[in-house]
Amino acid sequence: MAVADRTSELARARRLIFEDQLGEAMTVIDRVLADDQAPHDRVEALTLRLITLINLGKAGDFAAALDAGLAAARQVQDPAQYGELQALAAIVALRGGSLEGCVRALVHGSRALGAVELTDETTAWGWHNLAMAYSYTGFHGHALAAMDKAREVAVEVGVPTANTDFAAPQIRLRLAVDLDHRGDSEGCQRILRDIVHDLERKQKDDEVGRLRPIARGAMGYAVVRLGTLGAVQTGVEAWPLLESAGMSTRACDLRTLGAVCQAIAERRPIEAVARLETATVADDSLGGAEIHRLRALAHLGAADYRLAYHADRSAFRVAVAQLDRLRDLFVEGVAALLDHEDMVRRIDFHRGEALTDPLTGLPNRRYLEEHVTKLLKAGGHAVLGVCDLDGFKDVNTVHGHLSGDHVLQRVAGVLNRVMRKGDFVARYGGDEFVVVLPTTSAGEAREISRRIEAAIASEDWHSLVPGTPVGVTIGWAGLQGEDFSDVAAAFEAADHAMLRAKAPRPRAAS
């Protein structure tokens, strides 16, 4: 396949995704990936593949697809492509329940896209997907600003469909319902009315058909959602818009909840409650509180004020839960920053990148060997411990290597925090870290072990890699005063001790 053909095919694939023809888009993408590609084309194809998987809701394939895209993007080092992938990484992390991973990716994506000097259509789509990621996470102000940037870049580079491709009714809709969930129904109605007025203008100008299917669905939902709040219905038919929203998971969610809204607006509350009992929607489509809020409105329509009150309290509790998680994340972020500052102070004597592990900032294996060699030559005695992470293989398998890197960085910060002055910490390789404790007794080493294990166990791994706990097993060498000729011998002894500690103990005879 010629270069021009691949570029044309990739442009076609993006358009197919835009039009919600996801199966055909995946066929085109797989055909491009099966052929030899230029590096930029490969990144683009892998990015489009991940977008398609997200729209199809195939969560089991997210981690591998994201890892493949990021690996290809690092080789190309195009900030626009990397920024768009980080925006998608934020969505993947949020779907996986990792708010910390989501926020990290949002920051990386924003910085990468902000560093683009020569903008093109890829940059515009990067800002578009970043806006969507911000919106799903609840950062509505950031989402609107990113969408404005997407539209600005699209106009600047001459995208002919900028005003329709980069419309943002989905973002404004999520902002509106979020206000309603938190008790500001008047603010919600104002935004919904703005969306409906925009829809009426587009109908008058015959532009609705050129909108992205999911954008039409969002406008249709705005119409029926206004009805749940008692607003006067317009002459706009909402259901044809919802039906034309496509077959992505979010489009299906809009139709599911749209039918509930229509039943509430048309004073059929019992039907609305029954529909909600069987409704299954993604939390990030319209926020996890939307089902609870609609249940409250349905009970209110049935004059069951007790159930309406309890459902409304549930909606508010779910709506503010993410704010609580963000506050916790802020505190953890400050603690991590302090850990990093302390780590920088403790390793400021490291000489150049050749002696430092680039991922964690810790001394690397080479520097560890130099340190222990100097210690032995000076006649000193030390205890060497090998710290091997438990569950790390599952982290990479379930959440991808990007999350694995974040775990290693967090562990590095923890180790630096619990070490004493004069202790030495290094990353030996993979998920193994080494600590060197000078003039340390067996009792002191056991206490250090306890502190390390407790500190790692107390970290909030659920927010970073949900459902995949992380622990540590430590093996020691030199506890009995053994002398070692070099670090390799000491490491081998400590590694064997660590493996013995990991081995399951035989059950006692009954």
Side-chain angles (χ1 to χ4, degrees):
M1 189 183 296
V3 173
D5 292 338
R6 280 196 297 268
T7 302
S8 175
E9 285 284 85
L10 290 171
R12 177 168 170 252
R14 195 179 279 273
R15 177 56 55 181
L16 288 168
I17 294 170
F18 179 88
E19 295 171 351
D20 201 51
Q21 298 179 39
L22 302 176
E24 190 175 348
M26 188 64 86
T27 299
V28 174
I29 294 164
D30 287 343
R31 187 163 60 240
V32 172
L33 287 172
D35 189 31
D36 292 333
Q37 321 95 28
H40 279 85
D41 287 342
R42 178 168 178 77
V43 176
E44 173 75 356
L46 290 170
T47 299
L48 295 179
R49 186 173 188 276
L50 179 56
I51 293 173
T52 306
L53 290 171
I54 290 172
N55 285 330
L56 289 170
K58 295 189 175 182
D61 297 328
F62 289 172
L66 177 60
D67 279 347
L70 288 173
R74 290 189 188 100
Q75 293 180 352
V76 173
Q77 295 187 337
D78 181 325
Q81 291 185 319
Y82 184 72
E84 183 174 15
L85 275 166
Q86 285 292 346
L88 299 174
I91 296 173
V92 169
L94 188 65
R95 286 284 185 94
S98 175
L99 186 59
E100 179 176 343
C102 175
V103 173
R104 280 176 179 267
L106 287 171
V107 173
H108 285 309
S110 177
R111 288 180 176 178
L113 290 168
V116 176
E117 295 180 357
L118 297 175
T119 56
D120 54 14
E121 190 169 346
T122 299
T123 311
W125 281 113
W127 282 111
H128 172 278
N129 287 324
L130 184 66
M132 291 302 174
Y134 274 131
S135 178
Y136 297 141
T137 317
F139 297 117
H140 302 294
H142 288 78
L144 290 170
M147 188 57 78
D148 285 343
K149 185 67 176 178
R151 198 176 294 111
E152 174 189 323
V153 172
V155 171
E156 178 184 318
V157 300
V159 177
T161 55
N163 291 328
T164 52
D165 288 6
F166 298 93
Q170 310 97 294
I171 291 176
R172 288 187 290 158
L173 175 63
R174 276 189 285 272
L175 172 57
V177 297
D178 183 64
L179 290 174
D180 191 39
H181 299 159
R182 298 172 193 276
D184 186 2
S185 295
E186 291 184 1
C188 170
Q189 289 187 58
R190 282 196 300 273
I191 296 173
L192 291 177
R193 285 195 182 98
D194 285 344
I195 296 173
V196 173
H197 290 158
D198 189 29
L199 170 62
E200 291 170 338
R201 286 192 297 271
K202 290 186 181 301
Q203 284 183 325
K204 183 179 179 181
D205 296 336
D206 198 27
E207 290 185 349
V208 175
R210 297 203 299 271
L211 288 172
R212 190 176 184 183
I214 194 65
R216 295 196 295 268
M219 287 180 155
Y221 191 85
V223 175
V224 293
R225 190 61 165 81
L226 262 176
T228 68
L229 300 175
V232 177
Q233 291 292 303
T234 69
V236 176
E237 288 290 331
W239 199 251
L241 293 168
L242 288 166
E243 285 186 325
S244 70
M247 295 306 298
S248 68
T249 54
R250 292 191 179 90
C252 294
D253 290 349
L254 287 177
R255 279 190 289 274
T256 298
L257 296 180
V260 174
C261 291
Q262 201 162 42
I264 294 171
E266 295 174 358
R267 302 184 185 282
R268 292 180 277 116
I270 304 303
E271 178 190 333
V273 172
R275 286 181 177 275
L276 285 169
E277 290 302 318
T278 58
T280 302
V281 297
D283 285 350
D284 60 357
S285 289
L286 288 168
E290 180 71 346
I291 280 185
H292 300 285
R293 177 58 175 156
L294 293 181
R295 185 175 285 113
L297 292 169
H299 287 311
L300 190 63
D304 193 333
Y305 303 116
R306 183 182 66 84
L307 288 178
Y309 173 80
H310 287 299
D312 207 43
R313 290 295 83 199
S314 295
F316 183 78
R317 186 165 55 250
V318 172
V320 301
Q322 188 143 300
L323 280 179
D324 292 338
R325 291 173 64 198
L326 286 170
R327 290 190 188 99
D328 292 341
L329 189 59
F330 173 77
V331 173
E332 291 173 10
V334 172
L337 178 62
L338 294 175
D339 285 346
H340 179 72
E341 290 174 352
D342 182 57
M343 179 171 63
V344 170
R345 284 193 296 270
R346 295 184 66 168
I347 64 172
D348 59 1
F349 56 89
H350 294 164
R351 300 177 305 281
E353 294 182 358
L355 300 177
T356 304
D357 173 51
L359 177 66
T360 63
L362 290 175
N364 60 16
R365 178 174 178 173
R366 176 181 170 185
Y367 191 71
L368 168 69
E369 292 171 347
E370 288 187 10
H371 177 79
V372 173
T373 299
K374 288 180 181 178
L375 188 66
L376 295 174
K377 284 184 177 179
H381 172 73
V383 172
L384 185 144
V386 171
C387 306
D388 187 82
L389 299 187
D390 303 327
F392 188 72
K393 182 179 179 181
D394 291 339
V395 169
N396 281 332
T397 301
V398 176
H399 301 281
H401 291 280
L402 182 64
S403 293
D405 289 348
H406 293 159
V407 167
L408 293 173
Q409 290 167 341
R410 178 78 70 86
V411 170
V414 170
L415 290 174
N416 268 285
R417 187 169 71 244
V418 301
M419 290 296 101
R420 308 165 304 175
K421 184 177 181 180
D423 293 342
F424 185 89
V425 185
R427 182 183 177 204
Y428 197 77
D431 63 337
E432 288 186 319
F433 296 82
V434 170
V435 295
V436 180
L437 315 179
T439 60
T440 299
S441 67
E444 288 172 323
R446 284 193 292 271
E447 174 59 20
I448 292 294
S449 283
R450 187 197 64 77
R451 287 166 56 184
I452 293 173
E453 291 164 0
I456 289 179
S458 67
E459 286 292 302
D460 182 12
W461 298 113
H462 183 76
S463 69
L464 183 57
V465 285
T468 313
V470 177
V472 64
T473 300
I474 307 173
W476 296 98
L479 289 180
Q480 309 303 323
E482 307 102 311
D483 290 325
F484 298 100
S485 58
D486 55 34
V487 68
F491 179 86
E492 184 178 2
D495 195 48
H496 286 162
M498 179 272 295
L499 293 174
R500 287 194 298 272
K502 273 185 179 285
R505 296 179 180 177
R507 294 183 179 179
S510 58

